[in-house]
């Protein structure tokens, strides 16, 4: 693709740089501008300058999913340019009111983590920690809400494929002209994306079954006509189908590892299993770690392989 460029924008997160894609075929379009930091803004404007553009020239900002390393800076770009913001409709609440969304999640996940066996203090730290990161995002009002299958013309037609799992409202943008997909964090070359638990969009009392959703979304992307994935972090995925197969195999193996751990223990809480699988996890990783374990327990539950019992408000899993 001639009219697309990749800018690697710095983030303050462990994941490192985030890829911002710049489309110049029909006006100027940014896909995932980066987090709301001065360093990110400086590198974005310098990168646009290198392509012969100014931030004021931006016509559209596309967002693959409502995580701050990808969308945090979008509002600043919109304010500087009058660009239209485009994202999946399941992402609009988290984008428009990230603090309110986060507060709703805290209310839900505090008791939820306790029910999953997490000690109260550990759970409190896990749900409170993200408050430290709120400076890296600005609320973003979405001008165009996408549904699965909608097309955005950025010089090439990009079709939105809804791929929830890593985040609600995650979309991959599949190009019409070439077998290329812009995959956000749904498929990455060197990282197996975390199936983070979150609230089901539009509710405040129901969590997503993120890993089963993620696995289904991988199967969906495997069916589209794209061989190369331009992902949200790192280099392109050269063989998308192959990489999707690897990620599916990884989850399949891990699910069986977790079933074997339950078998050995007789019964276990999700927290017991997380401690066994990821010993000495830092507090910052407890929520992602629990999301991963619970995701695999959800898969086992969907396959009818586990029984769940509840004693004193704490859920235990045993093999059927
Ligand atoms: Zn993400
Ligand atoms: Zn990311």
């Amino acid at each position: 693709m001639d009219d697309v460029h990749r800018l690697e924008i710095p983030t303050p997160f462990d994941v490192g740089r985030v890829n911002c894609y710049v489309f110049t075929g029909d006006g100027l379009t940014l896909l995932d501008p980066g987090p709301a930091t001065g360093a990110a803004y400086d590198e974005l404007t310098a990168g646009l300058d290198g392509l012969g553009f100014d931030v004021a020239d931006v016509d559209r900002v596309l967002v693959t999913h409502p995580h701050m390393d990808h969308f945090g800076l979008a509002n600043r770009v919109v304010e500087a340019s009058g660009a239209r913001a485009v994202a999946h409709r399941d992402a609009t609440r988290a984008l428009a009111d990230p603090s309110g969304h986060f507060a709703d999640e805290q209310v839900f996940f505090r008791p939820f983590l306790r029910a999953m066996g997490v000690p109260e203090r550990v759970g409190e730290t896990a749900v409170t920690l993200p408050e430290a990161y709120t400076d890296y995002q600005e609320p973003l009002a979405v001008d165009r809400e996408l549904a699965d299958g909608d097309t955005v013309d950025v010089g090439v037609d990009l079709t939105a494929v809804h791929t929830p799992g890593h985040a609600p409202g995650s979309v991959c943008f599949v190009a019409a002209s070439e077998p290329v997909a812009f995959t956000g964090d749904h498929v990455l070359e060197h990282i197996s994306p975390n199936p983070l638990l979150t609230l089901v969009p539009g509710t405040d009392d129901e969590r997503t079954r993120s890993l089963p959703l993620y696995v289904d979304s991988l199967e969906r992307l495997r069916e589209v006509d794209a061989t190369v994935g331009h992902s949200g972090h790192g280099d392109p995925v050269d063989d998308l189908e192959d990489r999707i197969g690897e990620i599916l195999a990884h989850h399949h193996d891990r699910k069986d590892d977790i079933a074997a751990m339950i078998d050995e223990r007789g019964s276990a809480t999700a927290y017991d299993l997380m401690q066994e699988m990821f010993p000495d996890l830092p507090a910052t990783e407890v929520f992602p770690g629990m999301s991963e374990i619970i995701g695999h327990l959800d898969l086992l539950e969907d396959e009818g392989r586990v029984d769940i019992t509840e004693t004193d408000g704490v859920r235990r899993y045993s093999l059927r």
Side-chain angles (χ1 to χ4, degrees):
M1 285 178 121
D2 296 336
D3 299 339
V4 57
H5 309 269
R6 174 166 63 126
L7 302 178
E8 295 179 80
I9 303 296
T11 82
F13 308 112
D14 288 343
V15 72
R17 286 177 182 260
V18 64
N19 291 325
C20 168
Y21 295 93
V22 183
F23 300 85
T24 59
D26 175 31
L28 186 63
T29 304
L30 304 184
L31 174 74
D32 288 354
T37 67
Y41 191 74
D42 289 348
E43 291 215 22
L44 177 68
T45 50
L48 291 176
D49 188 55
L51 297 169
F53 294 99
D54 188 89
V55 69
D57 301 329
V58 178
D59 296 297
R60 297 169 210 93
V61 180
L62 275 52
V63 174
T64 59
H65 66 294
H67 284 170
M68 59 185 84
D69 50 334
H70 298 258
F71 87 87
L73 198 54
N75 184 61
R76 190 164 169 189
V77 173
V78 166
E79 285 187 346
S81 63
R84 279 165 64 79
V86 182
H88 189 271
R89 58 187 175 198
D90 283 353
T92 49
R93 160 101 209 283
L95 292 170
D97 183 15
S99 305
H101 177 71
F102 173 60
D104 288 349
E105 293 206 312
Q106 285 184 313
V107 168
F108 176 81
F109 281 108
R110 258 189 204 107
F112 174 80
L113 289 179
R114 273 204 298 282
M116 287 293 170
V118 180
E120 192 153 350
R121 265 188 47 204
V122 176
E124 185 57 30
T125 306
V127 298
T128 310
L129 259 169
E131 285 174 9
Y133 299 110
T134 46
D135 282 353
Y136 303 129
Q137 59 191 359
E138 281 181 23
L140 176 70
V142 173
D143 299 298
R144 182 176 170 199
E145 296 188 12
L146 297 174
D148 182 58
D150 283 354
T151 300
V152 187
D153 182 1
V154 300
V156 294
D157 275 346
L158 297 178
T159 300
V161 178
H162 187 207
T163 51
H166 169 65
S170 162
V171 282
C172 294
F173 289 99
V174 180
S177 55
E178 287 179 52
V180 165
F182 295 85
T183 58
D185 283 354
H186 181 54
V187 180
L188 299 164
E189 183 69 59
H190 299 296
I191 304 169
S192 180
N194 192 286
L196 282 170
L197 297 180
T198 180
L199 288 169
V200 172
T203 76
D204 60 10
D205 59 357
E206 191 187 346
R207 72 168 175 95
T208 49
R209 293 172 76 81
S210 301
L211 186 54
L213 276 175
Y214 180 67
V215 167
D216 288 349
S217 293
L218 284 176
E219 299 285 5
R220 285 212 64 204
L221 190 63
R222 185 143 74 167
E223 284 161 21
V224 308
D225 193 14
T227 49
V228 175
H230 290 294
S231 56
H233 304 277
D235 291 328
V237 180
D238 291 330
D239 188 334
L240 199 51
E241 187 170 346
D242 202 54
R243 181 64 187 135
I244 288 171
E246 276 177 17
I247 297 172
L248 286 170
H250 161 77
H251 285 303
H252 188 272
D253 291 351
R254 180 151 281 179
K255 177 185 67 188
D256 284 342
D257 290 346
I258 287 172
M261 280 161 48
I262 299 171
D263 196 23
E264 190 131 316
R265 287 167 172 266
S267 77
T269 67
Y271 186 66
D272 295 333
L273 297 166
M274 188 195 76
Q275 286 190 297
E276 184 171 338
M277 178 141 286
F278 309 116
D280 306 319
L281 211 57
T284 47
E285 295 302 318
V286 167
F287 197 83
M290 287 299 290
S291 293
E292 165 107 28
I293 297 292
I294 292 164
H296 287 100
L297 292 170
D298 287 345
L299 291 175
L300 291 168
E301 186 186 357
D302 289 349
E303 291 172 13
R305 291 169 66 184
V306 287
D307 285 317
I308 304 169
T309 53
E310 196 165 317
T311 319
D312 298 330
V314 175
R315 262 165 257 171
R316 300 190 70 85
Y317 291 78
S318 54
L319 289 192
R320 192 167 279 182

